[in-house]
Amino acid sequence: MRDKAKGIFELPHDRVECEVQAPCLLTEAAVRAGVILNVACGGKGTCGGCAVDLLGGRFAADGGAEIALPAGAARRVLSCQTHVLAGEFHVRVPRHSLVEAGEEIVMDFAHAPSVSLRPPVRKEYLRLRPPELRDQRGDIERIIGALRRRGYAGEIIAPHAAARSAGLVARAAYKLTVTVVGDHGAWHIIRLEEGDTTGCLYGAAVDVGTTTVVVTLVDLNTGKAVDAASSYNQQIIRCDDVASRISYASDPQRAQELRELVVDGTVNRLLRLLTHRHGLAGDDVAHMTVAGNTVMTHLFCGLSPTGLGAVPFAPISNFPGPYRAGLLNVAINAQAFVDIFPSAAAYVGGDATADMYVCGLARRDELNVLIDIGTNAEIVVGNRDRLIACAAPAGPAFEGHGLSCGMRAAAGAIESFRLGGLSDPPRYTVIGGDKPAGVCGSGLIDFVAQAFAVGVISSAGRFTDRARARCPRIRKLRRNEAEIPAYEIAPAEQTDDGLAPILITERDIATLLQAKGVIYAALQMAMKHFGKGFADIHRFYLAGGFAKHIDPDNAVTMGLLPDIDRGKFTFLGNGSLGGAFLALIDEDVRRELPHLAAAPAVIELNLDPEFMDAYTLAMFLPNGDPSLFPTVKPAK
Ligand code: FES
């Protein structure tokens, strides 16, 4: 007989309670309490993201041994490796272990090209001639005949569900509204309604990100986005990044759990919120478009992502769907089509296809570059004649993972950082304006660039002798008998929890240099395969939420972005959502997507013998080949 455990999770600005059957993993208890912990490694105990402080109660380590709590003091543990035992418990969650709702979500897509209002879904109000002895056609044939007279050519298909609802035709005195969707030259009847409801026709554009999901409700009569809502992808309660989700989903039951978390736990919740806000029924939403990376779209559709986890990174399909909403359990009209954005390759996903459409990469004569930086940076270079794509496995460092003080771009994150001189105190800004809890990607880029520019760190990413002698912020940490030099951005008393300072170690810097090295070398390889140099770039598009916060000058100084005219860097906003929106309102966009996804020649970086050399040089600041960065001068 298992006993109950009743406990409190102390959050930075709140406290929540829960009751669970003991013994229970602390991460599981947190889920019950609605606390979203940073479980980057999926509970393997390797990322350190789920650290919490045990304040009271009985707990056991993974092996079963009870954990002794020091009297009157907290004990820090990994919640994925700790079980709560029966009785009452009390746990404090530091801010950096929390995936907080304060994360900034980019929902604009200002650079989307203007398109025509030509949605693939339409409504027709029909006044049918009632049957009589001389005209004994069925109701469905009567509807098809009326649609033909309206100019609907090609096959017109009435699925079983439409035929079953045809009983309303007589009830409606033969005055009804028919919703049809065009697909591959055929028209599918997806809804019959009494009377004239042509004024009510909606679609949903969805950006399924690994971290966040955004749903935009679109009025298909006007082509306007009427409302949007976003939330964390609830899969995050199980595991954080793409790699750990692939591994979690290797068990079919767990894959189903991830599917339910994203479809029912996230997208359907947002859909219900939006339809409720606008007095609509789920059935009023007659079309959905979904853009996301290949792993996310596989999980959304219930396709196994296992093949994406190992060489040769084979997806089930790069062009899944369209599927009927009922098949995917999406809370819109069950007969509606759900279009999934096609991918160019396993790691150049539907989100990159959407980005490509929005920035018009394949429509321009000039050479443009697109980059979407996440755990994998998706890169596409080219023009209307030719496109080259690749995925750079940068790792999650720019998302704040694997670093002593890294965190997402959420409340409490240092987002920008300035250093006036070697021994000057740093200046920084914090998202939300409160005390800092960690440093997010843009702050980390600023730190490395500024520390290099004033001579705190060398080209190899080491603290310089001069800085060790003169910079009061450089301290020595003792870890496992070794002394590790670190730069103190904020002392403990100035931080959010007041317990630990915010530090950047040489190892953190090395991790960041590896990440930026992979991205820059991948950019070089893509340009080489295209046969052009960085000087030939007309425009350099930066997509995604992270890109929005980057200071281009610092990103160049760090050697992450190429040393080109800074005015060429263009922030695309949420290209994934923008593409999904455009495909909803213009059937030409929807038709073009498979061609666009198939257009890039995808290069495999590991097969290019020059990649490793380029990567090795790119791990220096700004680069082992300084001629590539003529405007970046090291400190004197
Ligand atoms: Fe617990 Fe990674 S260490 S989730």
Side-chain angles (χ1 to χ4, degrees), residues 39-41 43 45-50 78 80:
V39 285
C41 69
T46 55
C47 69
C50 65
L78 295 176
C80 68

Side-chain angles (χ1 to χ4, degrees), residues 107 219 379 485 539 590:
M107 289 175 47
D219 183 335
I379 294 168
R539 204 155 276 290
R590 182 178 181 242

Side-chain angles (χ1 to χ4, degrees), residues 27 37-51 78-81 238-240:
T27 41
L37 290 173
N38 188 352
V39 285
C41 69
K44 292 199 191 90
T46 55
C47 69
C50 65
L78 295 176
S79 41
C80 68
Q81 309 293 313
R238 287 295 171 232
C239 32
D240 192 345

Side-chain angles (χ1 to χ4, degrees), residues 3 16 19 61 91 130 132 145 155 162 181 193 211 355 357 404 454 472 537 543 556 569 577 595 600 621 623 625:
D3 294 316
V16 285
E19 197 172 291
V91 169
E132 51 185 272
E155 198 180 0
V181 55
E193 294 168 274
T211 309
D355 288 337
Y357 188 87
S404 323
V454 301
I537 294 171
V556 172
F569 292 114
L577 188 62
H595 305 287
L621 288 166
N623 196 285
D625 177 358

Side-chain angles (χ1 to χ4, degrees), residues 63-100:
E66 193 157 339
I67 298 171
L69 297 192
R75 166 109 187 232
R76 186 154 284 195
V77 295
L78 295 176
S79 41
C80 68
Q81 309 293 313
T82 306
H83 300 263
V84 57
L85 303 176
E88 299 200 337
F89 68 92
H90 193 181
V91 169
R92 180 174 56 217
V93 185
R95 186 175 252 180
H96 54 75
S97 295
L98 211 52
V99 179
E100 285 189 279

